[in-house]
Amino acid sequence: MTESNDYLVEVRNLRKYYPVGAGVFGTGSGAVRAVDDVSFSIRRGETFGLVGESGCGKSTTGRSILRLIEPTSGEVRFEGKDLLSLGVDELRRLRRDMQIIFQDPYSSLNPRMRVGQIIEEPLIIHKIGNREARKSRARELLRLVGLEPEHTRRYPHEFSGGQRQRIGIARALALNPKFIVCDEPVSALDVSVQAQIVNLLQDLQAQLGLTYLFVSHGLSVVEHISTRVGIMYLGKIVEVGSSREIFHNPLHPYTRALLSAIPIPDPTRRRERPQLTGDIATEIEPPSGCRFRTRCPLAEPRCAELEPQLVEVSPDHFVACMVVAPE
C-alpha cells in the first residue's frame, strides 16, 4: 500500500507479542502473537472498520496505535510523526489529537466522579482553561452528544448504558481530537440504542471532521458506518477494501465465511455458507503458511509452505490468499 499525504494514520508491520510460560509447571517459553505484522492506513476524515472474531487482535491493534499498550515492534505514524519513537512529554502533547471510546460504558466511567468532573479531567491534565472555562466546555459537550447541560452534577450510575456511552464520547471530544479509536463502542448496548450511537458518531464526524478507527465484530454496524474495512484473523489482516467491495465482493475465504453469518431478515431466504472444517488455531502456535488454511475449503499444499502477503487485486482492494490472488 502506497503512502500518501492524505493518510492521517499509517501503521506498518505492527506486532504485539505477550510472553507466556509453557508446560505443566510453567517451564519453557512462548508468546501469544496477538498482533502479528499488521499494516494499513487511514485517510483523513474517513472511518476505517476493523473486523474479526473475538480474540483476533483488533482491540489490541487499536490500543497499540495509541500506545495504551506498548507494541513489540513496528511503526505507527500520525501526521508523519513516528509515535513509537516519541518520549513521554512529546506523546502527552500529541494525545490531545488522539482519543479512544471504550467498549464498556459501565466500567470506563469512574463511579466516584460526577459527570462534569469526568469530562473536565482531560482538560485539567493538559492544563487547558480555567475552572469556569472547563465547566462551560463540559456543558457544551454534553449538549453536543445529546444530553442536558445540568447532567454535569450527576453520577454515572444515574444514567442508562446509551447515556453513559454518550458521556464517554463527550470525554473523548474534550480536547478537540483529530483521530478517535472506537473500541467496540456499541457492542454492550441494545440494538435500538446502537443505532442512535452510530448516528451520533456519524453526525460528529461530519460536524467536526473526525477520523475514526472503528473496531467491531458487528458486521452490519461496520457496513453502515465504515468507509473502508480491514478483516483480521488470528492477528493478521487478510483483506482490505472499501466497505462496498468487502461486503458485496468478498474474496478471501475467511471474509466470505464471516459475512455468511449475517442474518437475512427474510425467513424464506437462505444464505449459502462455506463449510469450514477443523479447529481454530491459537496465537501461541499458529499454523505455518496461511493461518486460515486449517479451516479453509480452498486450501492447497502450498498454503502450508508460504505466508501469503496482501496483494492488490483491484484499486484499493487487497487480499492475502495465494489461491484467490496469487502473487
Side-chain angles (χ1 to χ4, degrees):
M1 298 180 212
T2 58
E3 297 185 6
S4 166
N5 292 331
D6 292 335
Y7 291 124
L8 181 68
V9 179
E10 296 169 273
V11 180
R12 296 288 176 265
N13 310 113
L14 185 68
R15 292 179 174 86
K16 178 57 184 178
Y17 295 171
Y18 292 98
V20 294
V24 177
F25 300 102
T27 58
S29 62
V32 174
R33 302 179 182 182
V35 180
D36 197 6
D37 198 18
V38 164
S39 299
F40 61 90
S41 300
I42 307 175
R43 298 186 178 97
R44 296 175 188 274
E46 80 169 353
T47 299
F48 186 91
L50 199 55
V51 185
E53 296 168 299
S54 295
C56 71
K58 54 190 185 296
S59 290
T60 303
T61 298
R63 296 183 182 213
S64 296
I65 289 172
L66 298 181
R67 284 185 63 182
L68 297 179
I69 297 173
E70 286 295 333
T72 302
S73 64
E75 182 180 4
V76 179
R77 291 192 171 273
F78 179 81
E79 293 188 320
K81 297 177 183 176
D82 184 4
L83 297 184
L84 305 191
S85 66
L86 297 181
V88 175
D89 293 336
E90 293 175 297
L91 184 61
R92 180 183 289 254
R93 286 193 294 271
L94 202 57
R95 284 201 189 282
R96 297 185 185 187
D97 294 329
M98 305 179 299
Q99 292 294 311
I100 184 170
I101 300 168
F102 294 100
Q103 174 180 358
D104 188 353
Y106 294 89
S107 63
S108 62
L109 302 179
N110 190 334
R112 295 181 177 87
M113 296 174 68
R114 296 181 189 270
V115 167
Q117 295 172 314
I118 290 171
I119 298 174
E120 292 173 37
E121 188 175 26
L123 301 171
I124 294 172
I125 291 172
H126 288 271
K127 301 177 181 179
I128 297 175
N130 56 30
R131 184 176 179 181
E132 284 306 313
R134 291 193 292 266
K135 289 184 178 300
S136 176
R137 176 65 172 160
R139 291 192 293 267
E140 174 193 342
L141 288 167
L142 283 178
R143 193 180 295 109
L144 186 64
V145 298
L147 297 176
E148 297 299 325
E150 56 266 25
H151 287 167
T152 55
R153 297 190 294 270
R154 297 186 184 179
Y155 288 93
H157 72 268
E158 300 180 67
F159 296 89
S160 67
Q163 289 174 321
R164 291 187 191 202
Q165 196 60 290
R166 289 175 186 269
I167 295 168
I169 293 171
R171 178 178 57 186
L173 295 174
L175 298 171
N176 290 315
K178 300 175 182 176
F179 173 60
I180 298 179
V181 173
C182 305
D183 186 9
E184 303 205 40
V186 298
S187 64
L189 306 176
D190 293 338
V191 175
S192 60
V193 180
Q194 287 184 13
Q196 295 173 16
I197 297 300
V198 168
N199 290 337
L200 173 62
L201 289 172
Q202 290 182 307
D203 292 342
L204 292 171
Q205 184 175 44
Q207 185 176 345
L208 304 176
L210 298 170
T211 301
Y212 294 143
L213 171 63
F214 194 90
V215 175
S216 179
H217 58 257
L219 298 170
S220 298
V221 173
V222 170
E223 181 180 12
H224 177 72
I225 196 174
S226 299
T227 313
R228 290 189 302 133
V229 177
I231 306 294
M232 282 194 76
Y233 182 77
L234 279 183
K236 285 189 172 290
I237 289 186
V238 298
E239 188 165 0
V240 179
S242 69
S243 180
R244 180 173 181 79
E245 276 288 295
I246 293 295
F247 283 92
H248 296 278
N249 184 32
L251 296 179
H252 196 281
Y254 174 68
T255 307
R256 293 176 182 173
L258 197 65
L259 298 186
S260 72
I262 300 176
I264 299 175
D266 183 349
T268 63
R269 293 178 57 197
R270 292 187 179 275
R271 193 190 298 272
E272 287 188 20
R273 295 192 175 185
Q275 294 299 314
L276 303 184
T277 59
D279 296 327
I280 301 175
T282 69
E283 297 93 336
I284 299 178
E285 293 183 358
S288 62
C290 175
R291 296 192 176 186
F292 187 59
R293 68 174 175 81
T294 56
R295 303 170 66 196
C296 181
L298 304 180
E300 299 178 356
R302 58 176 173 159
C303 298
E305 300 171 1
L306 298 173
E307 188 171 303
Q309 303 299 312
L310 285 170
V311 176
E312 190 170 20
V313 293
S314 62
D316 207 27
H317 190 173
F318 298 81
V319 182
C321 176
M322 289 182 288
V323 177
V324 173
E327 297 183 38

